[in-house]
Amino acid sequence: MSFDAVLRHLAFAGGLALLSALCVRLMIAFPILDHPDARKAHARPTPKGGGVGIVVAFLAGMAVLFHVAAFARLADSQFIGVIAAAAAIALVALLDDMWDFRFIVKLGAQTAAALVAVAGGLALNRLSLPFWGTVDLGLAGALLTLFWIVACTNAVNFMDGLDALVGGSLLLAAGILAVIAAGQGGFFVYVASLFLAAGLAGFLPFNLHPARIFMGDVGSQFLGFVFAVLAVASSRFDVQQLSFLLVPLLLFGLLFDTGFTLLRRAAMGERVSAPHRTHLYQMAQRSGLTAWRVAALHWGFVLFHGALAALFLRLTPGAKPLVVVPALAVQLLWLAYVARRVRRAGLSWRA
């Protein structure tokens, strides 16, 4: 890719960032208020729905891409289906921000959107596993893809409970993924990541602590869905489809917190879909760490995972899955640190 092309892409992304910021500013002027309660970190009514800016910027960029850059698209049927599904996720999530749907309604919308993506042919069909070699997944690949999209959508949504934690983390992840995809010739992943980064760049200044607006479900569910789709699209970077692991690696901090919290709550006999304030990041903040520090730590996790992603690209296929080991080690240290703070503060892990 030429230097002039990169400059044009960055200039276009800058325009999308301004569009995102304008939409966010409108959502502040005409707010959907998020009122504080026992499970939330904020103390006064705060606008939500700032993710509208991210969605509008991304969809505007994709509309331009569809008309002027066929080389950067997936097959047309996949492209249209995935973008339509992402837009539908955003619409349902925006209505949820306004009217607070039951979890089963949101899960149904997420599953329907994931089915659209999978039915359009966006699914894993093989994977290289340590000691096993490359395995043809068949129908299991479609089921694995469906589970991944729904799980990633919810993981990002569950983690959006502290100023700038998700917004900053995903801005970094999108930027890193754009650079990787450009180097691997994955132009759809490159431009989609660039558009996500642009939308997040327009939103994030309004979400820094103390936040003037939250992204809301419209932002977090949309971002989780699109990142999940980009993971599957990234699997085409190599014939073993191991590059699928790039996005889970970049999001590992968010995924670990969500997975640990769900398993812990299930083991304690709690209803895992019920509202709570016992994610690791929430317990860290409740134990005395500032919102800035907790968010900055998660940004640091993404940067560390970005370095691991650079290493991942240079490893042999058999060794590539092992790159998650240092990422897991860091998260286990974070868990131990938070557990120690929780114990000293006399906090309960129960909702």
Side-chain angles (χ1 to χ4, degrees):
M1 191 184 307
S2 70
F3 183 68
D4 286 345
V6 172
L7 289 181
R8 289 196 302 272
H9 298 166
L10 291 177
F12 182 65
L16 293 178
L18 292 176
L19 175 62
S20 173
L22 174 61
C23 293
V24 174
R25 189 65 189 83
L26 289 172
M27 294 301 294
I28 294 173
F30 303 97
I32 303 169
L33 289 178
D34 190 344
H35 295 277
D37 60 34
R39 68 182 181 87
K40 296 177 180 176
H42 60 290
R44 66 179 186 276
T46 303
K48 61 181 176 179
V52 166
I54 302 168
V55 175
V56 169
F58 181 83
L59 294 180
M62 282 296 171
V64 173
L65 175 69
F66 185 79
H67 288 290
V68 305
F71 71 91
R73 287 190 243 143
L74 298 169
D76 282 358
S77 60
Q78 293 176 341
F79 184 96
I80 295 172
V82 165
I83 302 307
I89 279 274
L91 177 59
V92 173
L94 178 60
L95 296 175
D96 178 44
D97 283 330
M98 298 168 63
W99 295 317
D100 196 19
F101 296 151
R102 295 174 58 193
F103 178 73
I104 191 66
V105 175
K106 296 185 280 190
L107 183 62
Q110 295 162 6
T111 303
L115 283 170
V116 169
V118 173
L122 195 71
L124 292 170
N125 50 46
R126 69 179 66 87
L127 201 61
S128 181
L129 302 175
F131 313 115
W132 287 81
T134 301
V135 178
D136 289 324
L137 297 174
L139 177 62
L143 296 175
L144 175 62
T145 303
L146 181 66
F147 171 79
W148 158 248
I149 293 175
V150 173
C152 186
T153 301
N154 280 290
V156 174
N157 182 228
F158 293 161
M159 291 294 291
D160 184 36
L162 202 64
D163 295 349
L165 189 154
V166 164
S169 296
L170 294 188
L171 173 58
L172 291 170
I176 293 169
L177 185 60
V179 172
I180 291 173
Q184 297 296 308
F187 289 107
F188 174 79
V189 177
Y190 162 67
V191 294
S193 301
L194 187 63
F195 296 164
L196 285 181
L200 284 158
F203 163 76
L204 189 60
F206 300 94
N207 189 235
L208 296 172
H209 186 72
R212 297 171 62 189
I213 191 170
F214 306 139
M215 72 169 60
D217 279 10
V218 63
S220 59
Q221 291 194 41
F222 175 82
L223 286 165
F225 177 83
V226 176
F227 267 99
V229 166
L230 292 181
V232 183
S234 297
S235 69
R236 302 179 181 189
F237 292 171
D238 62 77
V239 294
Q240 296 90 5
Q241 298 198 354
L242 274 168
S243 48
F244 166 79
L245 296 174
L246 283 169
V247 171
L249 180 61
L250 292 172
L251 304 186
F252 197 80
L254 306 183
L255 298 174
F256 178 87
D257 192 325
T258 299
F260 168 78
T261 301
L262 288 174
L263 291 174
R264 180 189 56 75
R265 296 190 73 209
M268 295 175 70
E270 297 182 352
R271 186 162 61 94
V272 295
S273 62
H276 66 100
R277 282 191 65 198
T278 58
H279 275 282
L280 287 175
Y281 76 90
Q282 292 170 321
M283 298 302 285
Q285 191 260 341
R286 290 171 59 194
S287 73
L289 283 180
T290 65
W292 267 111
R293 287 189 176 183
V294 177
L297 278 167
H298 278 80
W299 301 348
F301 293 156
V302 177
L303 292 175
F304 175 62
H305 300 151
L308 291 178
L311 174 63
F312 174 92
L313 296 171
R314 292 164 173 77
L315 295 176
T316 63
K320 282 185 175 182
L322 301 178
V323 81
V324 301
V325 173
L328 178 61
V330 168
Q331 291 305 308
L332 290 175
L333 289 173
W334 169 238
L335 168 60
Y337 175 68
V338 173
R340 182 182 180 190
R341 291 187 63 92
V342 167
R343 184 171 61 253
R344 288 185 171 183
L347 298 174
S348 171
W349 287 96
R350 291 194 174 274

